[in-house]
Amino acid sequence: MGKKVVITGVPGVGKTTVINQTISELASEGVEYQNVNFGSCMFDVASSQGLVTSRDDIRRLEQATQRELQRNAAQFIAKSDGNIIIDTHCTVKTPKGYLAGLPEWVLKELMPDIVVLVETDEDQILMRRMADDTRVRDAEGYRALCEHQQFNRAMAASYAMLTGCTVKVVVNADNLLNNSVAELKTILR
Amino acid sequence: MGKKVVITGVPGVGKTTVINQTISELASEGVEYQNVNFGSCMFDVASSQGLVTSRDDIRRLEQATQRELQRNAAQFIAKSDGNIIIDTHCTVKTPKGYLAGLPEWVLKELMPDIVVLVETDEDQILMRRMADDTRVRDAEGYRALCEHQQFNRAMAASYAMLTGCTVKVVVNADNLLNNSVAELKTILR
Amino acid sequence: MGKKVVITGVPGVGKTTVINQTISELASEGVEYQNVNFGSCMFDVASSQGLVTSRDDIRRLEQATQRELQRNAAQFIAKSDGNIIIDTHCTVKTPKGYLAGLPEWVLKELMPDIVVLVETDEDQILMRRMADDTRVRDAEGYRALCEHQQFNRAMAASYAMLTGCTVKVVVNADNLLNNSVAELKTILR
């Protein structure tokens, strides 16, 4: 069995960039990682069961059905061979509050080896969001971002308690992408 | 089934005021919420079983009995129809440390939809406590209050991991009660 | 059955000193506590099963075997008579991130009464580490120490949710060892 590494980070922290560069550099060393987006995996499971035709349909399903899809997606990933990066959120910020990205029924199936929190200074995240006009995001201030990153850490601690995974903070600071990638490669090798 | 919303906050944050005004304003819109105090509900269960005659008797029961009462109270609330606000503490500060207001055996029965943390700046809480001479409370300083609110957040994150509930911070700042009520109404509607 | 009290703290916080002086002072009052190091207990279990000959061998065992040893050590302690202090870490800092000192399968067996976090100002911990040349420790800066103590709190909150234990912060500040011991004695009596 390969490693199952969950990689998380708030929108704008540069998670996708870090993941892609890490996978590419590791591949050139002969270390293969498959990149799985948890939401896409849920959609694939839901479509194969004929439950949805678009990704937006998922949130319109009943809560019990959504949870069963989450469980099924986790089972699918857990059974897959090889090293896998699971790209998801540690907490999802919704109008009704923070939601666990990996609730108990997902964790018990997935049993990840490592949960990575890609973080950086909240002010840097704000600046990156303002500079990125390709995406429309909910406006969020400095303090809200601090709160979100704090909840991510607390949530990750509870994941570690339940599964025995490690929780690793990888800082993705401005102009230092290579450092983040180097640190991530060290724990993924 | 209605919504089950747990509302928590440290003593002095104004939780009761926020709850009462929110319930009253929602009722005038035709949205009904029943307000259940978790401790009172435990007492009702305990008296109906002939275990206690006053609320203070509960803490003198054996730990296993107390936990069974907590579970029974949670089951009772879970089976109730309609929308329910459960008024309780996220963590209870005791001489031996912080205790989970909703331990695992309560959460698994209650399965709340939302856990609300009513918070505000610790200095405001201190000033409110000092101004309130109707209650005798244990003296607690600024740093102790920061610690308490921090543990509440960490605890709430673990509740979200176990149950899939959301965790919503509602700030109840000085002179801005209407804002807190408006925010709470939005998530309870 | 006696009390099961888990005592934790980052390296350099003075946990061992606090534990030893507390046990000694309590003994002189006639309150007996046995001091059990969780790692040593795992090693005893592993040697009695013929799995290892030195403590370092444990980390070379397969993960499933290590987890079974953790569970067995917790069962052994849970069955022991009398009051027990379990000396361990709330989180263990490893190259791959923070690991729960007491994961779910340990907690469910041990069901501790109290988890104590021995803490102090991170700057004091740094100074103590620099002054202690009897041990080789990984160099860790001020911010890393803040992060570690923060994860310890978040982790402890999840322990409280799962088991119903209390979480008590005991501050072990410079020149005030007697205060820490007095506070710890109060909760252990």
Side-chain angles (χ1 to χ4, degrees):
Chain A
M1 288 297 290
K3 285 190 195 171
K4 307 281 176 277
V5 182
V6 174
I7 303 192
T8 70
V10 298
V13 79
K15 183 178 50 146
T16 309
T17 311
V18 173
I19 291 176
N20 290 344
Q21 188 168 331
T22 301
I23 288 182
S24 151
E25 293 189 14
L26 283 175
S28 71
E29 297 179 11
V31 179
E32 299 293 335
Y33 267 88
Q34 188 189 345
N35 186 10
V36 175
N37 180 287
F38 193 76
S40 304
C41 185
M42 270 182 71
F43 171 66
D44 292 344
V45 172
S47 344
S48 74
Q49 297 178 4
L51 291 170
V52 298
T53 54
S54 83
R55 226 175 124 153
D56 277 350
D57 292 345
I58 291 181
R59 72 187 71 174
R60 290 186 207 105
L61 296 170
E62 287 203 13
Q63 192 186 66
T65 312
Q66 287 190 43
R67 292 186 176 186
E68 195 53 29
L69 283 176
Q70 287 180 309
R71 190 194 309 273
N72 293 159
Q75 286 166 334
F76 177 83
I77 296 169
K79 281 185 306 190
S80 305
D81 283 327
N83 299 315
I84 301 185
I85 283 174
I86 299 107
D87 177 349
T88 190
H89 292 289
C90 191
T91 68
V92 182
K93 194 169 181 176
T94 79
K96 292 188 193 300
Y98 297 102
L99 198 62
L102 302 171
E104 186 247 10
W105 52 91
V106 169
L107 290 170
K108 290 279 191 183
E109 300 294 342
L110 193 59
M111 289 301 271
D113 297 287
I114 311 175
V115 170
V116 175
L117 301 172
V118 182
E119 292 185 357
T120 193
D121 179 85
E122 285 80 9
D123 201 45
Q124 292 186 358
I125 299 172
L126 278 180
M127 297 296 282
R128 292 178 200 172
R129 288 187 184 178
M130 286 187 278
D132 176 7
D133 47 17
T134 64
R135 297 209 215 176
V136 180
R137 307 199 212 248
D138 290 336
E140 204 179 15
Y142 180 84
R143 289 165 72 101
L145 261 169
C146 294
E147 183 186 291
H148 195 167
Q149 292 206 128
Q150 190 193 354
F151 270 107
N152 283 342
R153 287 186 175 199
M155 193 68 83
S158 75
Y159 297 168
M161 177 279 288
L162 198 78
T163 66
C165 71
T166 56
V167 174
K168 178 77 180 176
V169 176
V170 170
V171 177
N172 183 33
D174 280 351
N175 309 312
L176 294 167
L177 176 63
N178 285 338
N179 290 24
S180 336
V181 170
E183 200 175 358
L184 195 51
K185 284 195 293 180
T186 306
I187 68 169
L188 295 189
R189 252 183 219 115
Chain B
M1 288 297 289
K3 285 191 195 171
K4 306 283 175 278
V5 181
V6 175
I7 303 192
T8 70
V10 299
V13 80
K15 182 179 49 144
T16 310
T17 311
V18 173
I19 291 176
N20 290 343
Q21 188 166 331
T22 301
I23 287 182
S24 151
E25 293 190 14
L26 283 175
S28 71
E29 297 179 10
V31 179
E32 300 294 335
Y33 267 88
Q34 189 188 345
N35 187 9
V36 175
N37 179 287
F38 193 75
S40 305
C41 185
M42 270 181 72
F43 171 66
D44 292 344
V45 172
S47 342
S48 74
Q49 297 178 3
L51 291 170
V52 298
T53 55
S54 84
R55 227 175 124 152
D56 277 351
D57 291 345
I58 292 180
R59 71 186 74 172
R60 290 185 207 106
L61 297 170
E62 286 201 16
Q63 192 186 65
T65 313
Q66 287 190 43
R67 293 187 175 187
E68 194 54 28
L69 284 175
Q70 287 181 309
R71 190 195 309 272
N72 293 159
Q75 286 167 332
F76 178 83
I77 297 168
K79 280 185 307 191
S80 306
D81 283 327
N83 298 315
I84 302 185
I85 283 175
I86 299 107
D87 177 349
T88 190
H89 292 288
C90 191
T91 68
V92 182
K93 193 170 181 176
T94 78
K96 292 189 193 301
Y98 297 101
L99 198 61
L102 302 171
E104 185 248 9
W105 53 92
V106 170
L107 289 170
K108 289 281 190 183
E109 300 294 342
L110 193 59
M111 289 301 269
D113 297 288
I114 311 176
V115 170
V116 175
L117 301 172
V118 182
E119 292 185 357
T120 194
D121 179 84
E122 287 79 9
D123 201 44
Q124 293 186 357
I125 299 172
L126 278 180
M127 298 295 282
R128 291 179 200 172
R129 288 187 185 179
M130 286 187 276
D132 177 7
D133 45 19
T134 63
R135 298 209 214 175
V136 181
R137 308 199 212 247
D138 291 337
E140 205 180 14
Y142 181 84
R143 289 165 73 99
L145 261 169
C146 294
E147 183 185 290
H148 196 167
Q149 292 206 128
Q150 190 193 355
F151 270 107
N152 283 343
R153 287 187 175 198
M155 192 69 83
S158 75
Y159 297 168
M161 177 278 289
L162 198 77
T163 67
C165 71
T166 55
V167 175
K168 179 76 181 177
V169 176
V170 170
V171 177
N172 182 34
D174 282 351
N175 309 311
L176 294 167
L177 177 62
N178 285 339
N179 290 24
S180 336
V181 171
E183 200 175 358
L184 195 49
K185 284 195 294 181
T186 307
I187 67 168
L188 295 188
R189 256 185 216 112
Chain C
M1 288 297 290
K3 285 190 195 170
K4 306 282 175 278
V5 182
V6 174
I7 303 192
T8 70
V10 299
V13 80
K15 183 178 50 146
T16 309
T17 312
V18 173
I19 291 177
N20 290 343
Q21 188 167 330
T22 301
I23 287 183
S24 152
E25 293 190 14
L26 283 175
S28 71
E29 297 179 9
V31 179
E32 299 293 336
Y33 266 88
Q34 190 190 344
N35 186 9
V36 174
N37 179 288
F38 193 76
S40 304
C41 184
M42 270 182 72
F43 171 65
D44 292 344
V45 171
S47 342
S48 74
Q49 296 178 3
L51 291 170
V52 298
T53 55
S54 83
R55 227 174 123 153
D56 277 350
D57 291 346
I58 292 180
R59 73 187 70 173
R60 290 185 208 105
L61 296 170
E62 287 201 15
Q63 193 187 63
T65 313
Q66 287 190 43
R67 292 186 176 187
E68 195 53 29
L69 284 175
Q70 288 180 309
R71 190 195 309 272
N72 293 159
Q75 287 167 333
F76 177 83
I77 296 168
K79 280 185 309 191
S80 305
D81 284 327
N83 298 314
I84 301 185
I85 283 174
I86 299 105
D87 176 349
T88 190
H89 291 288
C90 191
T91 67
V92 182
K93 194 169 180 175
T94 78
K96 292 189 193 301
Y98 297 101
L99 197 62
L102 301 170
E104 186 248 8
W105 51 93
V106 170
L107 290 170
K108 289 280 191 183
E109 301 293 343
L110 194 58
M111 289 301 270
D113 296 287
I114 311 176
V115 171
V116 175
L117 302 173
V118 182
E119 292 185 356
T120 193
D121 179 85
E122 286 79 8
D123 201 45
Q124 292 186 358
I125 299 172
L126 278 180
M127 297 295 282
R128 292 178 199 172
R129 288 188 184 177
M130 286 187 277
D132 176 7
D133 47 18
T134 64
R135 297 209 214 175
V136 180
R137 308 198 211 248
D138 291 337
E140 204 179 13
Y142 180 84
R143 289 166 74 99
L145 261 169
C146 295
E147 183 186 290
H148 195 167
Q149 293 206 127
Q150 189 193 356
F151 270 108
N152 283 343
R153 288 186 174 199
M155 192 68 83
S158 75
Y159 297 169
M161 178 278 289
L162 198 77
T163 67
C165 71
T166 56
V167 175
K168 179 76 181 176
V169 176
V170 170
V171 176
N172 183 34
D174 281 351
N175 309 311
L176 293 167
L177 176 63
N178 285 339
N179 290 25
S180 337
V181 170
E183 200 175 358
L184 195 50
K185 284 196 293 181
T186 306
I187 67 169
L188 294 189
R189 255 185 216 114

